[in-house]
């Protein structure tokens, strides 16, 4: 799910796990069917018999209750996995599923900045997340990463690196994509491309040819060279009388 959609779930889960200690110690229930008895059972529940879902990394380190080393180890591993999965989830989008045009915009530059800022933010804030929130966040990241991998592999953005990789995979299998995006045999694709090329050549041959613009001096010379224009011919005399006088002498 997009981060904006997950935020209400994230904050609700954080609030429940963050307040369960106070409610259990006060002997009161939570919201809705979470009465005092269920709140106490929830508070005493342990992951692997050691770590409670409401434990945080910084809280377990400071309290150092029995088995705190295991709790800190579990939380430390999950926080690292949460950060790494968040990074690679965003990385596969901006590195493979964006067209060259999209990579020139300001939104792409912001995505690149957020790619490195979010993991840094989780390094400092992750130590305050309860174990249940870290598990939820890590599981959500893994699900999103796998979902995006499948979508990018099979339905990539046209013109992106993922689209080129898909075309190469289809070409190795003797297949190609038609203009509508449907997978077709390579022979049919090549025949269609040949037909489109021949149609373009016929349309080009049938189109009226554009005449080259002619300057005034060049047009005047071309008019003088036309037959029957009565103009002087090369090698001839420009004066008819001069020719007659020459013949008489």
């Amino acid at each position: 799910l997009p981060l904006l959609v997950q935020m209400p779930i994230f904050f609700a889960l954080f609030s429940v796990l963050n307040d369960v200690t106070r409610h259990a110690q006060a002997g009161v229930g939570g919201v809705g069917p979470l009465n005092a008895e269920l709140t106490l059972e929830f508070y005493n529940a342990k992951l692997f018999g050691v770590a409670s879902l409401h434990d945080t990394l910084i809280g377990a380190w400071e309290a150092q209750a029995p088995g705190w080393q295991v709790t800190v180890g579990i939380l430390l591993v999950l926080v690292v996995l949460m950060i790494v999965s968040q990074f690679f989830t965003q990385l596969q989008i901006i590195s493979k599923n964006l067209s060259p045009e999209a990579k020139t915009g300001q939104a792409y530059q912001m995505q690149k900045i957020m790619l490195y800022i979010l993991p840094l933010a989780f390094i400092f804030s992750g130590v305050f997340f309860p174990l249940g929130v870290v598990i939820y966040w890590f599981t959500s990241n893994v699900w999103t990463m796998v979902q995006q991998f499948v979508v990018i592999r099979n339905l990539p953005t046209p013109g992106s690196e993922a689209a080129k990789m898909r075309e190469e995979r289809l070409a190795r299998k003797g297949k190609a994509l038609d203009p509508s995006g449907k997978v077709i045999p390579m022979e049919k694709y090549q025949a269609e491309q040949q037909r489109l090329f021949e149609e373009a050549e016929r349309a080009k041959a049938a189109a009226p040819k554009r005449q080259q613009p002619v300057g005034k001096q060049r047009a005047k010379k071309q008019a003088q060279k036309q037959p029957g224009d009565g103009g002087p011919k090369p090698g001839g005399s420009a004066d008819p009388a001069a020719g007659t006088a020459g013949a008489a002498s």
Side-chain angles (χ1 to χ4, degrees):
L1 292 175
L3 184 61
L4 187 62
V5 178
Q6 293 185 75
M7 294 312 292
I9 303 174
F10 173 80
F11 283 116
L13 185 59
F14 178 83
S15 299
V16 170
L17 295 173
N18 196 46
D19 294 340
V20 67
T21 301
R22 178 168 55 85
H23 290 170
Q25 292 174 351
V28 297
V31 178
L34 193 62
N35 54 31
E37 183 179 358
L38 291 177
T39 301
L40 185 61
E41 291 180 3
F42 182 41
Y43 174 78
N44 293 326
K46 305 286 184 180
L47 180 66
F48 304 126
V50 178
S52 299
L53 293 177
H54 58 81
D55 283 338
T56 63
L57 182 59
I58 191 70
W61 182 275
E62 292 176 351
Q64 294 191 359
W68 70 273
Q69 297 92 338
V70 179
T71 303
V72 169
I74 293 173
L75 279 163
L76 188 61
V77 170
L78 284 175
V79 168
V80 171
L81 291 175
M82 178 187 71
I83 295 172
V84 171
S85 60
Q86 180 78 26
F87 176 80
F88 282 103
T89 299
Q90 298 299 321
L91 180 63
Q92 69 177 348
I93 296 177
I94 68 173
S95 64
K96 293 183 178 181
N97 203 37
L98 290 179
S99 62
E101 294 78 11
K103 290 184 178 181
T104 60
Q106 188 176 2
Y108 174 71
Q109 300 301 326
M110 291 298 299
Q111 283 183 315
K112 287 185 66 176
I113 294 174
M114 295 302 296
L115 175 66
Y116 298 100
I117 289 181
L118 280 178
L120 289 175
F122 282 128
I123 289 176
F124 297 101
S125 61
V127 297
F128 299 100
F129 290 166
L131 177 59
V133 173
V134 177
I135 293 175
Y136 162 77
W137 199 266
F138 170 63
T139 305
S140 177
N141 286 344
V142 172
W143 169 258
T144 304
M145 185 165 54
V146 174
Q147 185 183 45
Q148 287 180 349
F149 174 79
V150 174
V151 172
I152 292 173
R153 181 179 176 85
N154 296 287
L155 296 171
T157 301
S160 63
E161 185 66 25
K164 297 177 181 177
M165 294 172 63
R166 188 190 182 204
E167 291 175 359
E168 292 175 357
R169 290 194 304 269
L170 290 173
R172 288 194 295 267
K173 297 178 181 179
K175 299 179 180 180
L177 294 174
D178 64 2
S180 64
K182 183 179 179 181
V183 179
I184 59 175
M186 182 63 72
E187 295 80 6
K188 184 177 179 181
Y189 173 78
Q190 292 175 344
E192 180 66 17
Q193 292 299 311
Q194 182 65 27
R195 184 185 66 82
L196 293 175
F197 174 76
E198 292 175 355
E199 288 183 356
E201 288 295 318
R202 287 195 295 268
K204 183 179 179 181
K209 294 185 177 181
R210 179 175 176 269
Q211 291 185 349
Q212 188 73 16
V214 180
K216 293 183 178 180
Q217 295 295 331
R218 186 176 177 184
K220 186 176 181 180
K221 290 180 180 180
Q222 289 179 352
Q224 291 175 353
K225 292 179 181 179
Q226 291 179 0
D229 57 359
K233 294 192 168 45
S237 176
D239 188 1
T244 306
S249 63

